[in-house]
């Protein structure tokens, strides 16, 4: 009996796996030696029941199973936890391939801007799309993520920058099964160019936050010179925190503009990007409970320096990895590619990369009790890698490493389907 | 009537393509402005006949077709020439995922060597594999390449370093439809450690070349400090040239050890790698007919500097792009990913990247009269990109850009199959 189709079988046995690999430790976020602690079981099985993992172990320790059990042949495959993408901007209309081509051809930032590029070009396209078209666009992107092994994803608003479109984005993300983050403070929209960022934050808090807080789980802001400063960020984030939202920050992407101290002050879940973080920021983050979310695809895409992943890990910071999937600076939904970049550009081991895009990413999304490990009680979100060594996840650069994806014990993508 | 299955239809019309993009110029290798000259036709068709391209144009200019014509619906898709991978080491047994993990964890070259890593570990695995196992391994790799849009590939020997295995590798490559290059001088095998590289070259020329020349189309050598020097390379390559083989060189990967001057002196087709090439080498290459083959995946994989792609192109050198697919320094078969790296790391435009892995790569393989363009008389090797702008080839970093692949007018891979 094979496991496929729409219904999840009550009980599913994935048998004869070449390997099973899972972060060892339960407490999150993981850091220091625990970041690289991955249990590997050779010749393994996973037993799922009612959409959860019931047991994992070695085949030779599998006792007789009574009752009806669907089976999935794991020969030649390796099981890892479903991947968790904790930082995406996957809800957008249009693309920015023209801007990509101009940048590749050496165009300056000013030339890109003059050609209509930048965040505001996606804001225009997203405002122009009705909600059904946004549903369709995001569903397409979610299908790409799924075939790359992402079983849990966050997606931000921030391409509306007006009440109607920001709320539409959040609803679209939730309908697509994602975890919505309100990023009203992504950029100052044209309507507020004259009034300035403080006036735009006033508008966001008065007109959008009350409804955004009903849909979103967290709030995020782009803290950067030329975008929003520390004072506006503090006011925006505190107001969001007051209505129950978790806090995130885009910080230190181009300059150290104060995101890490503010994130620590407010008890944010994460500060994301960190390409420009220096020794002081690394030490501060390491001494805190704030997760540093590393986004190497955007550094690669923009031809910019990589974030100091090894230094952060060595200092004892909890780090997560994410795609930053967006049309302007990282048209990339593939966490396996992010793992390759982590191992080749950030100095992380495959084990550290796995923890960073499973347990620690789930912690950023407040899902670490159910997502990110293959252990009893966790959701049966499982990626089968098409190799007998799970580390092909990072080793096979740009290759078709994902063979099968399960969500809640149900096959939701298969490379042969 | 749909076009699929084993037999190529006599006539095939790919209709209603969102775009068709092809390098404009016929003469190869292309350089300077011609490197970036790509014709783009919106709302296009391709008419294939007997495995060749008969005509391309705009749908509105398509006249009535008489007789039997299979049709393929191109709506929402973009056609580009089948990609040509002119530098791979795809014929090998085993992998080196353990070495990858050690390197990511910060192991030094000496530690990797002590752990049994390096080329010689693949030599051991490849010698241990019988020819049928090598067939199976390469067929798997070719399937990966195909789904990434590669319709023509070169693959080198060089993991045998003995008479029997070197010849076996060349036969395996030819049976898999590849273009075999003899890379006997890839490394000095353990049997010749005491005798040294000159004695090993003596052996290669006396014992292997006569038979290798019957199967291979070209010869290649790893010219580098610690491997083979200029004098050995000249002697090896001249002997190969004397029996009719085209010449290739691995050069300037770690040091400028004389590969470019030797390539020019001997009239080689290409010199490949060039991560360490300085201004003198760039100028010399630009003044020659030797193609510079850039391999950004291996630079990324090893965390090393990228080759000076923009400087070479600006100086007027003819450049090609290839994967360098191999188990140690570039476990990557994806030319779309190479195009992304070319645009983000090498400073090439999407148009230059396309020419570099189609026409110019075909020129390196002496196939430019039949491969690398969508124009009448060329082989009907066609990649359909799953987007309405062909530049998603490079823009969609690590994404599923290849929708359908045709070889000789026959569908050989389809993302929905």
């Amino acid at each position: 009996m094979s496991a496929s189709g729409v219904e999840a079988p009550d009980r599913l046995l994935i048998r004869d796996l070449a390997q099973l690999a899972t972060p060892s430790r339960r407490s999150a976020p993981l850091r220091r030696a625990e970041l690289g602690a991955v249990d590997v079981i050779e010749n393994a099985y996973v037993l799922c029941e009612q959409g959860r993992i019931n047991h994992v172990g070695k085949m030779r320790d599998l006792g007789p199973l009574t009752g009806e059990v669907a089976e999935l042949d794991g020969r030649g495959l390796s099981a890892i936890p479903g991947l968790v993408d904790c930082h995406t901007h996957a809800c957008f209309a249009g693309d920015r391939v023209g801007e990509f081509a101009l940048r590749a051809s050496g165009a300056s930032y000013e030339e890109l801007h003059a050609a209509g590029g930048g965040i505001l070009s996606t804001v225009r396209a997203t405002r122009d799309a009705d909600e059904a078209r946004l549903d369709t666009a995001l569903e397409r992107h979610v299908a790409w993520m799924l075939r790359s092994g992402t079983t849990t994803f966050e997606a931000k608003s921030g391409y509306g920058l007006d009440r109607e479109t920001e709320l539409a984005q959040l609803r679209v993300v939730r309908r697509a099964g994602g975890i919505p983050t309100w990023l009203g403070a992504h950029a100052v929209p044209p309507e507020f160019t004259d009034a300035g960022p403080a006036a735009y934050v006033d508008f966001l808090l008065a007109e959008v936050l009350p409804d955004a807080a009903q849909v979103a789980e967290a709030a995020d802001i782009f803290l950067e010179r030329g975008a929003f400063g520390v004072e506006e960020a503090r006011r925006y984030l505190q107001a969001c925190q007051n209505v129950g939202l978790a806090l995130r920050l885009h910080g230190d992407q181009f300059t150290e503009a104060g995101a890490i101290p503010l994130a620590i002050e407010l008890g944010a879940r994460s500060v994301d990007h960190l390409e420009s973080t220096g020794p002081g920021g690394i030490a501060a983050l390491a001494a805190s409970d704030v997760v540093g979310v590393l986004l190497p695809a955007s550094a690669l895409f923009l031809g910019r320096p990589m974030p100091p992943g090894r230094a952060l890990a060595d200092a004892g910071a909890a780090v997560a990895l994410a795609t930053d999937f967006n049309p302007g600076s990282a048209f990339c939904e593939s966490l396996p590619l992010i793992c390759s970049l982590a191992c080749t550009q950030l100095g992380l081991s495959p084990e550290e990369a796995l923890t960073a895009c499973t347990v620690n990413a789930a912690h950023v999304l407040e899902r670490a009790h159910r997502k990110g490990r293959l252990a009893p009680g966790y959701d049966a979100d499982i990626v089968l890698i098409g190799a007998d060594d799970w580390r092909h996840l990072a080793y096979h650069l740009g290759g078709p490493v994902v063979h099968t994806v399960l969500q809640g014990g149900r096959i939701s993508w298969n490379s042969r389907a």
Side-chain angles (χ1 to χ4, degrees), chain A:
Chain A
M1 182 176 177
S2 79
S4 65
V6 177
E7 289 298 311
D10 285 345
R11 295 171 83 205
L12 170 68
L13 177 69
I14 310 175
R15 58 178 303 144
D16 296 305
L17 287 158
Q19 280 189 345
L20 178 151
T22 181
S24 305
R25 303 290 184 275
R26 173 177 289 275
S27 62
L30 301 175
R31 55 179 87 210
R32 300 192 188 276
E34 294 196 337
L35 184 67
V38 167
D39 291 331
V40 177
I41 306 173
E42 309 276 345
N43 196 14
Y45 73 87
V46 185
L47 181 62
C48 308
E49 206 164 305
Q50 308 282 0
R52 303 273 198 106
I53 293 171
N54 182 284
H55 219 275
V56 306
K58 288 186 89 71
M59 280 304 292
R60 66 165 183 246
D61 298 329
L62 175 65
L65 298 173
T66 55
E68 196 174 0
V69 184
E71 291 198 357
L72 193 60
D73 183 357
R75 280 177 294 179
L77 308 178
S78 299
I80 60 171
L83 304 178
V84 178
D85 198 342
C86 67
H87 184 134
T88 89
H89 305 253
C91 180
F92 58 87
D95 62 43
R96 292 192 355 228
V97 63
E99 179 181 327
F100 174 84
L102 282 171
R103 189 187 298 113
S105 305
S108 68
Y109 181 83
E110 289 71 24
E111 290 169 312
L112 295 180
H113 197 77
I119 288 176
L120 294 181
S121 72
T122 299
V123 171
R124 279 191 297 275
T126 305
R127 286 180 177 180
D128 286 348
D130 62 22
E131 201 161 325
R133 262 189 59 206
L134 285 181
D135 281 328
T136 304
L138 182 54
E139 281 161 16
R140 183 166 189 238
H141 300 159
V142 170
W144 292 346
M145 290 193 254
L146 189 64
R147 62 185 286 157
S148 292
T150 297
T151 53
T152 300
F153 74 98
E154 179 254 27
K156 303 172 197 296
S157 68
Y159 293 130
L161 311 184
D162 61 19
R163 180 183 152 77
E164 184 187 350
T165 317
E166 285 290 312
L167 295 175
Q169 281 195 281
L170 295 173
R171 288 189 297 264
V172 166
V173 171
R174 193 167 281 289
R175 273 199 296 274
I179 298 167
T181 296
W182 181 46
L183 180 58
H186 194 198
V188 176
E191 303 82 38
F192 283 86
T193 304
D194 293 338
Y200 177 56
V201 169
D202 290 342
F203 159 77
L204 287 175
L205 298 183
E207 304 294 332
V208 191
L209 174 59
D211 290 323
Q214 304 303 312
V215 190
E217 295 197 9
D220 196 348
I221 186 165
F222 184 40
L223 202 171
E224 184 65 63
R225 280 181 208 160
F228 298 94
V230 169
E231 285 316 306
E232 287 135 11
R234 182 183 286 111
R235 189 158 62 90
Y236 170 87
L237 292 172
Q238 278 180 331
C240 293
Q241 195 167 42
N242 287 341
V243 295
L245 295 176
L247 303 186
R248 315 276 306 268
L249 290 88
H250 283 62
D252 292 4
Q253 183 178 9
F254 300 103
T255 61
E256 289 190 285
I260 289 177
L262 184 64
I264 295 169
E265 172 192 328
L266 298 178
R269 299 295 285 188
S270 74
V271 56
D272 305 34
H273 268 298
L274 308 180
E275 287 93 316
S276 301
T277 302
I282 291 170
L285 204 60
S288 79
D289 290 328
V290 179
V291 176
V293 179
L294 310 176
L295 309 168
S298 67
L300 189 91
F301 212 78
L302 297 178
R304 294 197 22 92
M306 288 285 161
R310 184 72 259 153
L312 283 161
D314 284 345
V319 296
L321 287 164
T323 62
D324 195 21
F325 179 32
N326 79 79
S329 61
F331 198 67
C332 174
E333 75 284 1
S334 169
L335 281 170
L337 182 64
I338 299 301
C339 289
S340 295
L341 294 175
C343 292
T344 61
Q345 307 303 299
L346 304 186
L348 300 185
S349 68
E351 291 78 9
E352 292 171 323
L354 181 67
T355 301
C357 64
T358 54
V359 173
N360 278 6
H363 172 78
V364 170
L365 302 178
E366 306 188 57
R367 299 289 197 282
H369 58 299
R370 292 282 294 274
K371 307 284 186 186
R373 294 180 69 226
L374 299 181
Y378 283 76
D379 289 350
D381 295 349
I382 303 167
V383 171
L384 303 183
I385 299 292
D388 60 7
D389 188 311
W390 73 272
R391 297 172 299 180
H392 278 249
L393 171 71
Y395 172 61
H396 195 164
L397 178 64
V401 293
V402 174
H403 183 280
T404 297
V405 181
L406 296 100
Q407 290 177 295
R410 184 178 71 80
I411 293 178
S412 50
W413 191 78
N414 187 302
S415 59
R416 290 169 187 179

